């Protein structure tokens, strides 16, 4: 079934991304990071491989939903929230992923943080410019 030219699954993923991002934003405001870290998964990196076209299609749909949510969100929806939201969505689809947290220094010696999410070799969120950050931690 299609609504205005888009498959219904696109709208389902968009709704899921909006609700999940609001949930994580709420958690980040009201709960300490230690509690939120427990929701991120195991403290390690898994190099999961994306084995079939169905998983690749699902990943693409989730990436699109995250990008649409970025444009629609009236709340903070930066790299950290995007990574957490996409990770949760992939987990619901039984697709393994790893979220990375990194730091770098700006020319004026200020610290800059970044988060990015990968499933296998595919970047889901935050892939642009991730090379300039030193990985501090990752969760799978």
């Amino acid at each position: 079934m299609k609504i205005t030219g888009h498959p219904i699954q696109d709208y389902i993923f968009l709704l899921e991304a909006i609700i999940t991002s609001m949930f994580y934003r709420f958690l980040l405001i009201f709960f300490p990071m230690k509690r939120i870290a427990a929701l991120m998964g195991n403290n390690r990196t898994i190099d999961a491989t994306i084995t079939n076209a169905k998983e690749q299609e699902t990943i693409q749909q989730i990436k699109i939903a995250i990008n649409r949510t970025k444009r629609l969100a009236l709340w903070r929806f930066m790299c950290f929230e995007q990574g957490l939201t996409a990770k949760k969505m992939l987990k619901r689809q039984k697709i393994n992923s790893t979220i990375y947290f990194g730091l770098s220094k700006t020319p004026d010696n200020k610290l800059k943080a970044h988060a990015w999410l990968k499933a296998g070799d595919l970047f889901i969120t935050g892939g642009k410019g991730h090379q300039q950050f030193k990985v501090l931690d990752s969760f799978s």
Side-chain angles (χ1 to χ4, degrees):
M1 182 173 159
K2 290 188 175 193
I3 302 173
T4 64
H6 294 283
I8 191 77
Q9 188 65 39
D10 288 354
Y11 291 101
I12 292 169
F13 278 131
L14 177 61
L15 183 61
E16 181 182 359
I18 290 169
I19 292 169
T20 304
S21 69
M22 288 181 357
F23 170 74
Y24 277 115
R25 188 66 201 135
F26 174 82
L27 289 180
L28 289 166
I29 291 170
F30 294 107
F31 290 92
M33 190 58 199
K34 188 187 328 181
R35 298 223 54 205
I36 296 167
L39 299 173
M40 287 191 265
N42 298 321
N43 189 340
R44 65 179 198 270
T45 302
I46 294 177
D47 290 329
T49 55
I50 306 307
T51 55
N52 61 50
K54 176 76 172 125
E55 284 182 348
Q56 287 180 347
E57 181 182 336
T58 300
I59 288 169
Q60 268 314 113
Q61 288 175 307
I62 290 172
K63 283 175 75 168
I64 290 167
I66 294 295
N67 286 326
R68 287 182 178 155
T69 301
K70 205 177 356 180
R71 289 193 310 265
L72 296 171
L74 300 175
W75 52 93
R76 179 188 142 100
F77 192 58
M78 303 299 281
C79 59
F80 187 55
E81 293 87 354
Q82 291 170 28
L84 292 174
T85 300
K87 182 160 184 47
K88 186 63 157 180
M89 292 174 71
L90 288 168
K91 185 175 182 179
R92 285 192 195 116
Q93 299 297 319
K94 296 179 176 54
I95 299 173
N96 291 324
S97 63
T98 301
I99 190 166
Y100 297 87
F101 300 103
L103 277 179
S104 72
K105 277 191 180 181
T106 62
D108 56 346
N109 275 341
K110 292 185 179 175
L111 289 178
K112 187 176 172 184
H114 187 50
W116 60 96
L117 182 72
K118 286 178 72 176
D121 292 335
L122 303 173
F123 283 93
I124 314 304
T125 64
K128 191 175 185 180
H130 78 281
Q131 307 89 336
Q132 66 185 353
F133 294 89
K134 181 183 185 311
V135 175
L136 294 179
D137 216 344
S138 62
F139 294 86
S140 291

